Amino acid sequence: MHSNSSYQAPQSPILLMARRAAELRAAGQDIVDLTLGEPDFNAPEYVLNAARNALQERLGYTPANGLPALRSAIRRRLEIDRGLHYLDDQIAVGCGAKQIIFNAFTATLQVGDEVLVPAPYWASYPDMIRMCGACPVILPTTSAEGFRLTAEHLSSALRSAKSPRWLVLNAPGNPSGSLYSKQELEALARVLRDYPGVMILSDDIYAEIRYTEEPYVTLAVVAPDLSERILLVDGVSKAYAMTGWRVGWGCGPRELIAAITSVQSQNCTQTSTLSQLATIAALDGPREFLRERNEIYRQRRDAALEVLRACTLLEVNCPEGAFYLLPRIEGVKDDQVLALDLLKAGVATVPGSAFGMSGHLRLSFATDQANLVEGCRRLVTALGHAQ
Ligand SMILES: Cc1ncc(COP(=O)(O)O)c(C=O)c1O
């Protein structure tokens, strides 16, 4: 990488809004906070117990790409859950999915390279890309397309790109909640076969948080012939409610994994040994809690939809996964101004422009249902007043 040291990455707008909400709260204002993409559950008890037991051990350094036992646990999960087969040296563990993505971009991007990023996107992708001196090429999708990148759109974007290096795919998407069907992924794969120099980041961090009975499909399963070009990223933050433990991983071609590991070894060496041991327990432990929590998220989603859909100024998507709603607000000129106004009305949201989707707001439903419904009511009431 030839990093672009002059690029000053802005503060995450999500964290900014969350901080503003916390400040107002501290000053005594009643604020319902729907900003953060963080489960309000804790890690399952069996994980906490494993961590308590691990404290009896000496917690030394681990290999930069993670404990061999953790890489084996990841490998086993991918075999059981997706039928995917990786060798241990095709897996690198880092400080969250975020660091794996950052390391991958750092290891591969040159100044002037392009990374195709469908919008709405997770707010960190474009800034990470710019920090590496490369250029995010935003591919806007519409609610009519279900916020999914179509093969036609990908094909025309690749035709006009000068130096495409990566395509980012994230499903369930943050903030769209959209999933891709097998057929849609097959169509994207057909286009990608004509561009062998393009790597694919498959950010599957929300794979376990879904509201459909269909099995989860990811590009590596649908197009095994592309596996040498796919970096599959996942972690324990969302499904296991282990955000602060900072464990995520990337699985893919050996050379890329080695390059990610090199970057890792020169910055923070490895992620916490304690967290790695807890993650082995998380991945090998009972799985019923995932279904139970998904049912709770689904009920929250439906309760929020009921309130929001009663407002004629809002067009609200029904997410198939993750825990965000992305309503479009009729006639809004500046969603950042709107989000600040809504703070005065007692509800904290994130402006859609942070995700490449101006005119929208992101609401996280990873909060208890009464809180969520109250937040949605405040939003609807405030919009009514704005009419
Ligand atoms: C789409 C997406 N990818 C990656 C991450 C990073 O997750 P982690 O906590 O594992 O770094 C997030 C967190 O919000 C996310 O929404």
PDB file of all heavy atoms in Angstrom, residues 59-67 93-96 99 103 245-247 261 263-277:
ATOM      1  N   LEU A  59      -1.920 -15.769  30.039  1.00  0.00           N
ATOM      2  CA  LEU A  59      -2.391 -15.307  28.732  1.00  0.00           C
ATOM      3  C   LEU A  59      -1.255 -14.603  27.990  1.00  0.00           C
ATOM      4  O   LEU A  59      -1.094 -13.392  28.094  1.00  0.00           O
ATOM      5  CB  LEU A  59      -3.598 -14.379  28.897  1.00  0.00           C
ATOM      6  CG  LEU A  59      -4.813 -15.023  29.573  1.00  0.00           C
ATOM      7  CD1 LEU A  59      -5.883 -13.989  29.872  1.00  0.00           C
ATOM      8  CD2 LEU A  59      -5.393 -16.138  28.718  1.00  0.00           C
ATOM      9  N   GLY A  60      -0.472 -15.371  27.268  1.00  0.00           N
ATOM     10  CA  GLY A  60       0.666 -14.799  26.537  1.00  0.00           C
ATOM     11  C   GLY A  60       0.275 -14.387  25.135  1.00  0.00           C
ATOM     12  O   GLY A  60      -0.902 -14.345  24.778  1.00  0.00           O
ATOM     13  N   TYR A  61       1.289 -14.042  24.353  1.00  0.00           N
ATOM     14  CA  TYR A  61       1.057 -13.745  22.939  1.00  0.00           C
ATOM     15  C   TYR A  61       0.545 -14.984  22.222  1.00  0.00           C
ATOM     16  O   TYR A  61       0.865 -16.114  22.597  1.00  0.00           O
ATOM     17  CB  TYR A  61       2.364 -13.356  22.246  1.00  0.00           C
ATOM     18  CG  TYR A  61       2.939 -11.999  22.581  1.00  0.00           C
ATOM     19  CD1 TYR A  61       4.286 -11.881  22.921  1.00  0.00           C
ATOM     20  CD2 TYR A  61       2.169 -10.844  22.502  1.00  0.00           C
ATOM     21  CE1 TYR A  61       4.852 -10.642  23.191  1.00  0.00           C
ATOM     22  CE2 TYR A  61       2.725  -9.602  22.770  1.00  0.00           C
ATOM     23  CZ  TYR A  61       4.065  -9.497  23.116  1.00  0.00           C
ATOM     24  OH  TYR A  61       4.615  -8.285  23.371  1.00  0.00           O
ATOM     25  N   THR A  62      -0.199 -14.749  21.149  1.00  0.00           N
ATOM     26  CA  THR A  62      -0.586 -15.860  20.262  1.00  0.00           C
ATOM     27  C   THR A  62       0.025 -15.567  18.892  1.00  0.00           C
ATOM     28  O   THR A  62       0.522 -14.450  18.680  1.00  0.00           O
ATOM     29  CB  THR A  62      -2.122 -15.946  20.093  1.00  0.00           C
ATOM     30  OG1 THR A  62      -2.560 -14.857  19.258  1.00  0.00           O
ATOM     31  CG2 THR A  62      -2.847 -15.885  21.422  1.00  0.00           C
ATOM     32  N   PRO A  63      -0.032 -16.496  17.941  1.00  0.00           N
ATOM     33  CA  PRO A  63       0.386 -16.142  16.588  1.00  0.00           C
ATOM     34  C   PRO A  63      -0.436 -14.942  16.092  1.00  0.00           C
ATOM     35  O   PRO A  63      -1.589 -14.757  16.517  1.00  0.00           O
ATOM     36  CB  PRO A  63       0.067 -17.386  15.766  1.00  0.00           C
ATOM     37  CG  PRO A  63       0.028 -18.511  16.764  1.00  0.00           C
ATOM     38  CD  PRO A  63      -0.452 -17.900  18.053  1.00  0.00           C
ATOM     39  N   ALA A  64       0.150 -14.140  15.192  1.00  0.00           N
ATOM     40  CA  ALA A  64      -0.543 -12.933  14.716  1.00  0.00           C
ATOM     41  C   ALA A  64      -1.879 -13.269  14.057  1.00  0.00           C
ATOM     42  O   ALA A  64      -2.836 -12.484  14.134  1.00  0.00           O
ATOM     43  CB  ALA A  64       0.358 -12.183  13.734  1.00  0.00           C
ATOM     44  N   ASN A  65      -1.953 -14.418  13.413  1.00  0.00           N
ATOM     45  CA  ASN A  65      -3.225 -14.780  12.745  1.00  0.00           C
ATOM     46  C   ASN A  65      -4.177 -15.516  13.679  1.00  0.00           C
ATOM     47  O   ASN A  65      -5.208 -16.020  13.240  1.00  0.00           O
ATOM     48  CB  ASN A  65      -2.963 -15.597  11.483  1.00  0.00           C
ATOM     49  CG  ASN A  65      -2.131 -16.836  11.744  1.00  0.00           C
ATOM     50  OD1 ASN A  65      -1.528 -16.977  12.812  1.00  0.00           O
ATOM     51  ND2 ASN A  65      -2.104 -17.729  10.781  1.00  0.00           N
ATOM     52  N   GLY A  66      -3.864 -15.581  14.973  1.00  0.00           N
ATOM     53  CA  GLY A  66      -4.791 -16.160  15.942  1.00  0.00           C
ATOM     54  C   GLY A  66      -4.362 -17.531  16.410  1.00  0.00           C
ATOM     55  O   GLY A  66      -3.522 -18.199  15.790  1.00  0.00           O
ATOM     56  N   LEU A  67      -4.923 -17.963  17.545  1.00  0.00           N
ATOM     57  CA  LEU A  67      -4.624 -19.295  18.094  1.00  0.00           C
ATOM     58  C   LEU A  67      -5.001 -20.376  17.082  1.00  0.00           C
ATOM     59  O   LEU A  67      -6.106 -20.310  16.510  1.00  0.00           O
ATOM     60  CB  LEU A  67      -5.444 -19.528  19.362  1.00  0.00           C
ATOM     61  CG  LEU A  67      -5.002 -18.805  20.637  1.00  0.00           C
ATOM     62  CD1 LEU A  67      -6.118 -18.855  21.687  1.00  0.00           C
ATOM     63  CD2 LEU A  67      -3.722 -19.451  21.180  1.00  0.00           C
ATOM     64  N   VAL A  93      -7.221 -14.180  12.092  1.00  0.00           N
ATOM     65  CA  VAL A  93      -8.072 -13.586  13.132  1.00  0.00           C
ATOM     66  C   VAL A  93      -7.503 -12.206  13.464  1.00  0.00           C
ATOM     67  O   VAL A  93      -6.287 -12.033  13.521  1.00  0.00           O
ATOM     68  CB  VAL A  93      -8.069 -14.477  14.394  1.00  0.00           C
ATOM     69  CG1 VAL A  93      -8.879 -13.833  15.522  1.00  0.00           C
ATOM     70  CG2 VAL A  93      -8.600 -15.857  14.070  1.00  0.00           C
ATOM     71  N   GLY A  94      -8.382 -11.231  13.656  1.00  0.00           N
ATOM     72  CA  GLY A  94      -7.915  -9.883  14.008  1.00  0.00           C
ATOM     73  C   GLY A  94      -8.825  -9.228  15.033  1.00  0.00           C
ATOM     74  O   GLY A  94      -9.732  -9.877  15.591  1.00  0.00           O
ATOM     75  N   CYS A  95      -8.579  -7.924  15.271  1.00  0.00           N
ATOM     76  CA  CYS A  95      -9.363  -7.173  16.267  1.00  0.00           C
ATOM     77  C   CYS A  95     -10.688  -6.738  15.642  1.00  0.00           C
ATOM     78  O   CYS A  95     -10.887  -5.564  15.330  1.00  0.00           O
ATOM     79  CB  CYS A  95      -8.598  -5.951  16.745  1.00  0.00           C
ATOM     80  SG  CYS A  95      -7.000  -6.345  17.401  1.00  0.00           S
ATOM     81  N   GLY A  96     -11.556  -7.688  15.433  1.00  0.00           N
ATOM     82  CA  GLY A  96     -12.841  -7.397  14.819  1.00  0.00           C
ATOM     83  C   GLY A  96     -12.762  -7.519  13.304  1.00  0.00           C
ATOM     84  O   GLY A  96     -11.670  -7.474  12.708  1.00  0.00           O
ATOM     85  N   GLN A  99     -10.869  -4.641  11.581  1.00  0.00           N
ATOM     86  CA  GLN A  99      -9.423  -4.635  11.379  1.00  0.00           C
ATOM     87  C   GLN A  99      -9.014  -5.565  10.234  1.00  0.00           C
ATOM     88  O   GLN A  99      -8.083  -5.262   9.483  1.00  0.00           O
ATOM     89  CB  GLN A  99      -8.678  -5.036  12.657  1.00  0.00           C
ATOM     90  CG  GLN A  99      -7.206  -4.679  12.535  1.00  0.00           C
ATOM     91  CD  GLN A  99      -6.343  -5.309  13.588  1.00  0.00           C
ATOM     92  OE1 GLN A  99      -6.663  -6.354  14.135  1.00  0.00           O
ATOM     93  NE2 GLN A  99      -5.232  -4.669  13.867  1.00  0.00           N
ATOM     94  N   ASN A 103      -6.887  -4.263   7.225  1.00  0.00           N
ATOM     95  CA  ASN A 103      -5.618  -4.916   6.885  1.00  0.00           C
ATOM     96  C   ASN A 103      -5.614  -5.389   5.431  1.00  0.00           C
ATOM     97  O   ASN A 103      -4.600  -5.281   4.734  1.00  0.00           O
ATOM     98  CB  ASN A 103      -5.358  -6.119   7.800  1.00  0.00           C
ATOM     99  CG  ASN A 103      -4.984  -5.703   9.212  1.00  0.00           C
ATOM    100  OD1 ASN A 103      -4.818  -4.532   9.503  1.00  0.00           O
ATOM    101  ND2 ASN A 103      -4.873  -6.676  10.107  1.00  0.00           N
ATOM    102  N   TRP A 245     -15.246  -7.465  22.606  1.00  0.00           N
ATOM    103  CA  TRP A 245     -14.194  -8.480  22.726  1.00  0.00           C
ATOM    104  C   TRP A 245     -13.208  -8.374  21.573  1.00  0.00           C
ATOM    105  O   TRP A 245     -12.094  -8.875  21.660  1.00  0.00           O
ATOM    106  CB  TRP A 245     -14.812  -9.890  22.749  1.00  0.00           C
ATOM    107  CG  TRP A 245     -15.707 -10.120  23.919  1.00  0.00           C
ATOM    108  CD1 TRP A 245     -16.950  -9.587  24.125  1.00  0.00           C
ATOM    109  CD2 TRP A 245     -15.427 -10.923  25.060  1.00  0.00           C
ATOM    110  NE1 TRP A 245     -17.457 -10.020  25.319  1.00  0.00           N
ATOM    111  CE2 TRP A 245     -16.548 -10.850  25.912  1.00  0.00           C
ATOM    112  CE3 TRP A 245     -14.353 -11.722  25.435  1.00  0.00           C
ATOM    113  CZ2 TRP A 245     -16.614 -11.524  27.121  1.00  0.00           C
ATOM    114  CZ3 TRP A 245     -14.419 -12.398  26.634  1.00  0.00           C
ATOM    115  CH2 TRP A 245     -15.535 -12.301  27.474  1.00  0.00           C
ATOM    116  N   ARG A 246     -13.614  -7.756  20.511  1.00  0.00           N
ATOM    117  CA  ARG A 246     -12.793  -7.478  19.330  1.00  0.00           C
ATOM    118  C   ARG A 246     -12.196  -8.728  18.699  1.00  0.00           C
ATOM    119  O   ARG A 246     -10.978  -8.915  18.662  1.00  0.00           O
ATOM    120  CB  ARG A 246     -11.678  -6.444  19.646  1.00  0.00           C
ATOM    121  CG  ARG A 246     -12.131  -5.172  20.319  1.00  0.00           C
ATOM    122  CD  ARG A 246     -13.305  -4.484  19.615  1.00  0.00           C
ATOM    123  NE  ARG A 246     -13.044  -4.138  18.235  1.00  0.00           N
ATOM    124  CZ  ARG A 246     -13.920  -4.402  17.256  1.00  0.00           C
ATOM    125  NH1 ARG A 246     -15.074  -5.012  17.483  1.00  0.00           N
ATOM    126  NH2 ARG A 246     -13.639  -4.041  16.035  1.00  0.00           N
ATOM    127  N   VAL A 247     -13.089  -9.560  18.207  1.00  0.00           N
ATOM    128  CA  VAL A 247     -12.624 -10.719  17.448  1.00  0.00           C
ATOM    129  C   VAL A 247     -13.392 -10.814  16.132  1.00  0.00           C
ATOM    130  O   VAL A 247     -14.630 -10.860  16.119  1.00  0.00           O
ATOM    131  CB  VAL A 247     -12.803 -12.052  18.229  1.00  0.00           C
ATOM    132  CG1 VAL A 247     -12.267 -13.225  17.401  1.00  0.00           C
ATOM    133  CG2 VAL A 247     -12.089 -11.989  19.576  1.00  0.00           C
ATOM    134  N   THR A 261      -1.956 -10.997   7.612  1.00  0.00           N
ATOM    135  CA  THR A 261      -1.266 -11.366   8.851  1.00  0.00           C
ATOM    136  C   THR A 261      -0.016 -10.520   9.050  1.00  0.00           C
ATOM    137  O   THR A 261       0.307 -10.121  10.172  1.00  0.00           O
ATOM    138  CB  THR A 261      -0.922 -12.875   8.829  1.00  0.00           C
ATOM    139  OG1 THR A 261      -2.136 -13.587   8.610  1.00  0.00           O
ATOM    140  CG2 THR A 261      -0.291 -13.325  10.128  1.00  0.00           C
ATOM    141  N   VAL A 263       0.466  -7.415   8.015  1.00  0.00           N
ATOM    142  CA  VAL A 263       0.045  -6.091   8.476  1.00  0.00           C
ATOM    143  C   VAL A 263      -0.319  -6.170   9.953  1.00  0.00           C
ATOM    144  O   VAL A 263       0.096  -5.352  10.776  1.00  0.00           O
ATOM    145  CB  VAL A 263      -1.166  -5.559   7.654  1.00  0.00           C
ATOM    146  CG1 VAL A 263      -1.616  -4.209   8.173  1.00  0.00           C
ATOM    147  CG2 VAL A 263      -0.817  -5.472   6.175  1.00  0.00           C
ATOM    148  N   GLN A 264      -1.084  -7.206  10.285  1.00  0.00           N
ATOM    149  CA  GLN A 264      -1.518  -7.407  11.675  1.00  0.00           C
ATOM    150  C   GLN A 264      -0.304  -7.483  12.623  1.00  0.00           C
ATOM    151  O   GLN A 264      -0.277  -6.862  13.677  1.00  0.00           O
ATOM    152  CB  GLN A 264      -2.317  -8.714  11.739  1.00  0.00           C
ATOM    153  CG  GLN A 264      -2.682  -9.201  13.101  1.00  0.00           C
ATOM    154  CD  GLN A 264      -3.952  -8.555  13.610  1.00  0.00           C
ATOM    155  OE1 GLN A 264      -4.718  -7.998  12.833  1.00  0.00           O
ATOM    156  NE2 GLN A 264      -4.168  -8.598  14.889  1.00  0.00           N
ATOM    157  N   SER A 265       0.700  -8.249  12.199  1.00  0.00           N
ATOM    158  CA  SER A 265       1.855  -8.470  13.079  1.00  0.00           C
ATOM    159  C   SER A 265       2.622  -7.179  13.318  1.00  0.00           C
ATOM    160  O   SER A 265       3.324  -7.044  14.308  1.00  0.00           O
ATOM    161  CB  SER A 265       2.765  -9.543  12.507  1.00  0.00           C
ATOM    162  OG  SER A 265       3.444  -9.015  11.387  1.00  0.00           O
ATOM    163  N   GLN A 266       2.484  -6.216  12.379  1.00  0.00           N
ATOM    164  CA  GLN A 266       3.215  -4.955  12.558  1.00  0.00           C
ATOM    165  C   GLN A 266       2.376  -3.867  13.221  1.00  0.00           C
ATOM    166  O   GLN A 266       2.875  -2.787  13.472  1.00  0.00           O
ATOM    167  CB  GLN A 266       3.726  -4.432  11.202  1.00  0.00           C
ATOM    168  CG  GLN A 266       4.760  -5.315  10.547  1.00  0.00           C
ATOM    169  CD  GLN A 266       6.020  -5.492  11.377  1.00  0.00           C
ATOM    170  OE1 GLN A 266       6.188  -4.894  12.438  1.00  0.00           O
ATOM    171  NE2 GLN A 266       6.916  -6.342  10.907  1.00  0.00           N
ATOM    172  N   ASN A 267       1.083  -4.106  13.425  1.00  0.00           N
ATOM    173  CA  ASN A 267       0.367  -3.080  14.196  1.00  0.00           C
ATOM    174  C   ASN A 267       0.031  -3.561  15.597  1.00  0.00           C
ATOM    175  O   ASN A 267       0.788  -3.297  16.515  1.00  0.00           O
ATOM    176  CB  ASN A 267      -0.789  -2.423  13.425  1.00  0.00           C
ATOM    177  CG  ASN A 267      -1.784  -3.388  12.835  1.00  0.00           C
ATOM    178  OD1 ASN A 267      -2.324  -4.238  13.510  1.00  0.00           O
ATOM    179  ND2 ASN A 267      -2.044  -3.250  11.537  1.00  0.00           N
ATOM    180  N   CYS A 268      -1.038  -4.348  15.790  1.00  0.00           N
ATOM    181  CA  CYS A 268      -1.316  -4.675  17.202  1.00  0.00           C
ATOM    182  C   CYS A 268      -0.950  -6.122  17.541  1.00  0.00           C
ATOM    183  O   CYS A 268      -1.430  -6.662  18.539  1.00  0.00           O
ATOM    184  CB  CYS A 268      -2.741  -4.352  17.567  1.00  0.00           C
ATOM    185  SG  CYS A 268      -3.890  -5.422  16.776  1.00  0.00           S
ATOM    186  N   THR A 269      -0.130  -6.759  16.710  1.00  0.00           N
ATOM    187  CA  THR A 269       0.365  -8.118  16.930  1.00  0.00           C
ATOM    188  C   THR A 269      -0.734  -9.176  16.785  1.00  0.00           C
ATOM    189  O   THR A 269      -0.639 -10.084  15.978  1.00  0.00           O
ATOM    190  CB  THR A 269       1.051  -8.272  18.309  1.00  0.00           C
ATOM    191  OG1 THR A 269       2.081  -7.294  18.388  1.00  0.00           O
ATOM    192  CG2 THR A 269       1.638  -9.649  18.515  1.00  0.00           C
ATOM    193  N   GLN A 270      -1.790  -9.056  17.541  1.00  0.00           N
ATOM    194  CA  GLN A 270      -2.863 -10.071  17.574  1.00  0.00           C
ATOM    195  C   GLN A 270      -4.028  -9.453  18.337  1.00  0.00           C
ATOM    196  O   GLN A 270      -3.845  -8.445  19.003  1.00  0.00           O
ATOM    197  CB  GLN A 270      -2.395 -11.298  18.341  1.00  0.00           C
ATOM    198  CG  GLN A 270      -1.814 -10.849  19.665  1.00  0.00           C
ATOM    199  CD  GLN A 270      -1.809 -11.804  20.794  1.00  0.00           C
ATOM    200  OE1 GLN A 270      -0.755 -12.232  21.211  1.00  0.00           O
ATOM    201  NE2 GLN A 270      -2.995 -12.105  21.313  1.00  0.00           N
ATOM    202  N   THR A 271      -5.170 -10.090  18.266  1.00  0.00           N
ATOM    203  CA  THR A 271      -6.225  -9.630  19.170  1.00  0.00           C
ATOM    204  C   THR A 271      -6.067 -10.359  20.510  1.00  0.00           C
ATOM    205  O   THR A 271      -5.325 -11.342  20.610  1.00  0.00           O
ATOM    206  CB  THR A 271      -7.634  -9.803  18.557  1.00  0.00           C
ATOM    207  OG1 THR A 271      -8.560  -9.066  19.360  1.00  0.00           O
ATOM    208  CG2 THR A 271      -8.076 -11.255  18.490  1.00  0.00           C
ATOM    209  N   SER A 272      -6.756  -9.842  21.523  1.00  0.00           N
ATOM    210  CA  SER A 272      -6.586 -10.330  22.901  1.00  0.00           C
ATOM    211  C   SER A 272      -6.691 -11.856  23.006  1.00  0.00           C
ATOM    212  O   SER A 272      -7.618 -12.473  22.464  1.00  0.00           O
ATOM    213  CB  SER A 272      -7.665  -9.664  23.765  1.00  0.00           C
ATOM    214  OG  SER A 272      -8.175 -10.573  24.695  1.00  0.00           O
ATOM    215  N   THR A 273      -5.760 -12.430  23.734  1.00  0.00           N
ATOM    216  CA  THR A 273      -5.734 -13.888  23.925  1.00  0.00           C
ATOM    217  C   THR A 273      -6.989 -14.347  24.676  1.00  0.00           C
ATOM    218  O   THR A 273      -7.605 -15.360  24.333  1.00  0.00           O
ATOM    219  CB  THR A 273      -4.457 -14.284  24.698  1.00  0.00           C
ATOM    220  OG1 THR A 273      -3.346 -13.731  23.988  1.00  0.00           O
ATOM    221  CG2 THR A 273      -4.313 -15.782  24.820  1.00  0.00           C
ATOM    222  N   LEU A 274      -7.391 -13.562  25.676  1.00  0.00           N
ATOM    223  CA  LEU A 274      -8.601 -13.905  26.434  1.00  0.00           C
ATOM    224  C   LEU A 274      -9.815 -13.947  25.491  1.00  0.00           C
ATOM    225  O   LEU A 274     -10.623 -14.878  25.530  1.00  0.00           O
ATOM    226  CB  LEU A 274      -8.815 -12.868  27.544  1.00  0.00           C
ATOM    227  CG  LEU A 274     -10.046 -13.090  28.422  1.00  0.00           C
ATOM    228  CD1 LEU A 274      -9.950 -14.415  29.176  1.00  0.00           C
ATOM    229  CD2 LEU A 274     -10.219 -11.938  29.409  1.00  0.00           C
ATOM    230  N   SER A 275      -9.920 -12.939  24.639  1.00  0.00           N
ATOM    231  CA  SER A 275     -11.049 -12.890  23.702  1.00  0.00           C
ATOM    232  C   SER A 275     -11.004 -14.059  22.723  1.00  0.00           C
ATOM    233  O   SER A 275     -12.043 -14.610  22.349  1.00  0.00           O
ATOM    234  CB  SER A 275     -11.018 -11.583  22.909  1.00  0.00           C
ATOM    235  OG  SER A 275     -11.189 -10.491  23.769  1.00  0.00           O
ATOM    236  N   GLN A 276      -9.814 -14.433  22.318  1.00  0.00           N
ATOM    237  CA  GLN A 276      -9.706 -15.572  21.394  1.00  0.00           C
ATOM    238  C   GLN A 276     -10.197 -16.855  22.067  1.00  0.00           C
ATOM    239  O   GLN A 276     -10.914 -17.660  21.465  1.00  0.00           O
ATOM    240  CB  GLN A 276      -8.261 -15.746  20.938  1.00  0.00           C
ATOM    241  CG  GLN A 276      -7.766 -14.613  20.057  1.00  0.00           C
ATOM    242  CD  GLN A 276      -6.411 -14.942  19.449  1.00  0.00           C
ATOM    243  OE1 GLN A 276      -6.196 -16.003  18.871  1.00  0.00           O
ATOM    244  NE2 GLN A 276      -5.473 -14.021  19.577  1.00  0.00           N
ATOM    245  N   LEU A 277      -9.826 -17.040  23.344  1.00  0.00           N
ATOM    246  CA  LEU A 277     -10.263 -18.250  24.052  1.00  0.00           C
ATOM    247  C   LEU A 277     -11.782 -18.243  24.228  1.00  0.00           C
ATOM    248  O   LEU A 277     -12.452 -19.267  24.066  1.00  0.00           O
ATOM    249  CB  LEU A 277      -9.543 -18.354  25.409  1.00  0.00           C
ATOM    250  CG  LEU A 277      -8.034 -18.639  25.299  1.00  0.00           C
ATOM    251  CD1 LEU A 277      -7.327 -18.437  26.640  1.00  0.00           C
ATOM    252  CD2 LEU A 277      -7.789 -20.056  24.770  1.00  0.00           C
TER     253      LEU A 277
END
